[in-house]
Amino acid sequence: MTSTDAQTAAHLAEQDKDAGEILTLEVGAMAHGGHCVARHDGRVIFVRHAIPGEIVNAAVTAGGEDARFWRADTVSVVRPSEFRRSHQWKLADSIRAHASGRHPVGGAEFGHITLEHQRRLKAQVFRDTMTRIGQLNVEAQVVGVAEDEPTGLHWRTRNAFSVTSSGRLAMNVHRSATVVPVRNIPLGVRQLDALQLWDIDFSGAGRVEVATPGHGEEVLVVIFPLDAVAANKKLLEQHIGQWRKRLIHLPSKVSVVVGLRSQQFGPLEMIRLRGRTWLNEVVETEKYGSHTFRISGDGFWQVHRDAPETLVNAVMDALDVQPGQVIADLYGGAGLFSKFIADGVGEDGVVLSVEASPGASRDARKNLHDTKQAFVINGLTDRILGSWVQRPHAPIAKGGLADQRVDSVVLDPPRAGAGRATITRIHQLAAEKIVYVSCDPASFARDTKWLVEHGWEIEESTIYDLFPDTFHMEMVTTFRPSAALRQSRNDA
Ligand SMILES: C[S@@+](CC[C@H](N)C(=O)[O-])C[C@H]1O[C@@H](n2cnc3c(N)ncnc32)[C@H](O)[C@@H]1O
């Protein structure tokens, strides 16, 4: 143990009586979540900021006699991997952070690994997760975005910040409420750093979200007040007055709103401080044309600057849309896929875009208003599917399918996946094809297992590296009915 490692042990032990012990570990495979699996005295330890095959000194960050497993952060490397490089972001670099007596911020846990090897590890994590949870052997290739820098930096168009007690933008330490002020975001698009939001005092805010589209100059800043501020009208007004003054010097293309939300999926009340409550996102593809989308302050949008184009191409290629088809776009957001699918099915076809958030559904209605074949249905996927399955003869506006059969289903659920009930209902639609867009291998593996139990087979699966320098990945997978499922449908 070096003297720096000893300092690390001391500062960790101050915060958690079980933590702080420095262990020398030979680390094994990368697991889902961005940590390598190691063993010490018969105990499993999840080690972050390491690379499979390395020997590292790691400081225990969560321990305890009764814990099923411990967690540890690499603080120095005894035998480095040939794929190790110096971390791209000082505040997220575990080795430099612990050497200066603090924890690294979360969000760039693969920054110490060469981009090529990050992608190999993502393929391995996907394969292992599919075997362990999905009980299936699936190989998928990892495809990067062609324009990505070899460093894996400068791609995030959506960035969320905590706020320090003195009002500065900050990032959270992994699994912790501890915040670290930031003065740049290396993973963010360059336009974000240029705004210098770090110099602004956001006192009174609990969170600040910044949307900086990959293509264009518009920016939307959403300030979420602390609960105590949101609950006190006079205090809120005071802070709004201060934020308005402090943000006055920002370029004219920067819109700022205050966001107040009372419940998940409830509408976001937006108080406009300057500019608009939404921005435009332009999606240009060579094969499927271009569209502009209006995205409000609380609306979901794919995070990598080139993710919308990449996923539209992948989903449209997988669907192979034909004129006149009926296609369900579940978890449809602001209508990204629905808009391109609507072009493909044409006026004789139907697109059913299902989305739970009222704000995103409002955006979807605006984005799809000139396509009469597209219907935006606001509600929970599970409930809408239940209604389609039970009342297929009812008109679409009354919760039915107007007697039409769904040809293909696209689903792009949040990280938690779709869940068993929703998967069963999707199966009951008896479509010819399911295209599943997933950002989480574990929930995807679980949902796949249920689809396979219902008789579906994977035709093709591709992993898109839309989150470089992090452990996250995006999968697009096409499922087809197996021969047995087809037979049982014919027999029915
Ligand atoms: C990963 S995003 C995908 C959005 C869209 N496909 C896109 O690419 O822009 C998931 C979306 O599902 C919505 N959502 C989450 N849970 C839902 C549910 N149970 N039913 C319907 N929509 C849901 C979220 O509001 C979000 O817009």
Side-chain angles (χ1 to χ4, degrees), residues 252-457:
S252 59
K253 292 265 180 178
V254 181
S255 297
V256 183
V257 300
V258 171
L260 301 168
R261 191 198 304 281
S262 48
Q263 68 202 70
Q264 200 204 5
F265 294 136
L268 182 76
E269 187 193 334
M270 284 187 278
I271 304 168
R272 204 165 55 84
L273 300 196
R274 50 178 280 167
R276 302 192 294 210
T277 56
W278 50 277
L279 47 71
N280 282 314
E281 288 278 359
V282 181
V283 181
E284 285 178 9
T285 75
E286 269 184 27
K287 213 165 154 188
Y288 301 106
S290 306
H291 287 296
T292 300
F293 294 83
R294 165 204 166 108
I295 307 297
S296 298
D298 60 336
F300 173 89
W301 192 248
Q302 300 288 348
V303 168
H304 188 293
R305 66 179 138 64
D306 293 323
E309 288 82 352
T310 305
L311 292 176
V312 163
N313 279 322
V315 166
M316 292 299 286
D317 285 354
L319 281 174
D320 186 22
V321 181
Q322 301 299 316
Q325 280 190 322
V326 177
I327 299 189
D329 178 15
L330 308 178
Y331 310 90
L336 172 66
F337 302 144
S338 292
K339 186 79 183 170
F340 288 90
I341 296 169
D343 292 343
V345 298
E347 295 204 351
D348 294 334
V350 173
V351 186
L352 302 157
S353 192
V354 178
E355 166 59 44
S357 149
S361 298
R362 208 175 330 114
D363 285 346
R365 286 202 180 98
K366 293 224 158 74
N367 293 328
L368 295 163
H369 83 278
D370 56 351
T371 26
K372 76 171 183 46
Q373 63 271 36
F375 297 81
V376 177
I377 302 155
N378 176 228
L380 295 170
T381 296
D382 185 28
R383 290 216 197 127
I384 306 293
L385 287 171
S387 170
W388 288 352
V389 171
Q390 280 152 21
R391 297 188 294 137
H393 311 299
I396 292 171
K398 295 245 157 73
L401 284 173
D403 265 334
Q404 301 178 96
R405 192 176 138 244
V406 174
D407 293 294
S408 301
V409 176
V410 179
L411 73 153
D412 182 8
R415 203 150 279 163
R420 188 169 210 151
T422 300
I423 290 293
T424 301
R425 293 204 193 282
I426 291 173
H427 161 70
Q428 287 167 341
L429 290 178
E432 276 305 307
K433 198 183 272 187
I434 297 172
V435 178
Y436 191 144
V437 182
S438 163
C439 59
D440 187 277
S443 62
F444 173 70
R446 197 197 53 205
D447 287 345
T448 296
K449 183 165 165 265
W450 292 324
L451 276 172
V452 170
E453 281 173 12
H454 284 303
W456 292 80
E457 286 174 351

Side-chain angles (χ1 to χ4, degrees), residues 146-264:
E147 289 78 34
D148 265 346
E149 303 182 14
T151 52
L153 302 182
H154 305 302
W155 51 268
R156 278 194 87 101
T157 63
R158 297 300 190 271
N159 290 276
F161 300 93
S162 297
V163 178
T164 66
S165 53
S166 58
R168 301 296 154 184
L169 294 188
M171 302 283 295
N172 279 71
V173 164
H174 178 63
R175 295 168 56 81
S176 159
T178 306
V179 295
V180 179
V182 290
R183 291 205 58 80
N184 65 359
I185 295 291
L187 264 49
V189 289
R190 291 182 193 279
Q191 199 185 348
L192 173 67
D193 281 353
L195 293 172
Q196 295 289 303
L197 294 173
W198 344 111
D199 295 332
I200 294 170
D201 180 355
F202 284 98
S203 292
R207 202 168 88 248
V208 175
E209 293 182 2
V210 187
T212 37
H215 316 286
E217 290 172 11
E218 288 176 87
V219 177
L220 180 59
V221 178
V222 186
I223 304 174
F224 291 90
L226 289 164
D227 290 347
V229 173
N232 181 330
K233 200 161 173 248
K234 201 158 160 225
L235 195 55
L236 179 62
E237 275 167 12
Q238 270 173 15
H239 279 292
I240 285 179
Q242 285 165 356
W243 292 330
R244 206 175 249 130
K245 272 193 235 139
R246 289 175 191 151
L247 295 162
I248 207 153
H249 69 279
L250 287 173
S252 59
K253 292 265 180 178
V254 181
S255 297
V256 183
V257 300
V258 171
L260 301 168
R261 191 198 304 281
S262 48
Q263 68 202 70
Q264 200 204 5

Side-chain angles (χ1 to χ4, degrees), residues 39-104:
R39 280 175 195 280
H40 184 77
D41 284 347
R43 190 187 294 280
V44 171
I45 308 193
F46 290 141
V47 187
R48 287 162 53 81
H49 309 283
I51 305 177
E54 287 188 329
I55 297 178
V56 300
N57 290 320
V60 176
T61 53
E65 264 316 298
D66 302 330
R68 252 183 338 117
F69 54 80
W70 285 9
R71 295 178 186 277
D73 271 0
T74 301
V75 296
S76 58
V77 185
V78 179
R79 188 184 71 195
S81 156
E82 62 184 297
F83 305 113
R84 182 170 276 277
R85 65 179 183 189
S86 61
H87 201 294
Q88 306 297 296
W89 182 6
K90 188 175 164 208
L91 291 186
D93 178 0
S94 176
I95 294 174
R96 277 184 285 177
H98 284 288
S100 43
R102 54 173 187 80
H103 292 276

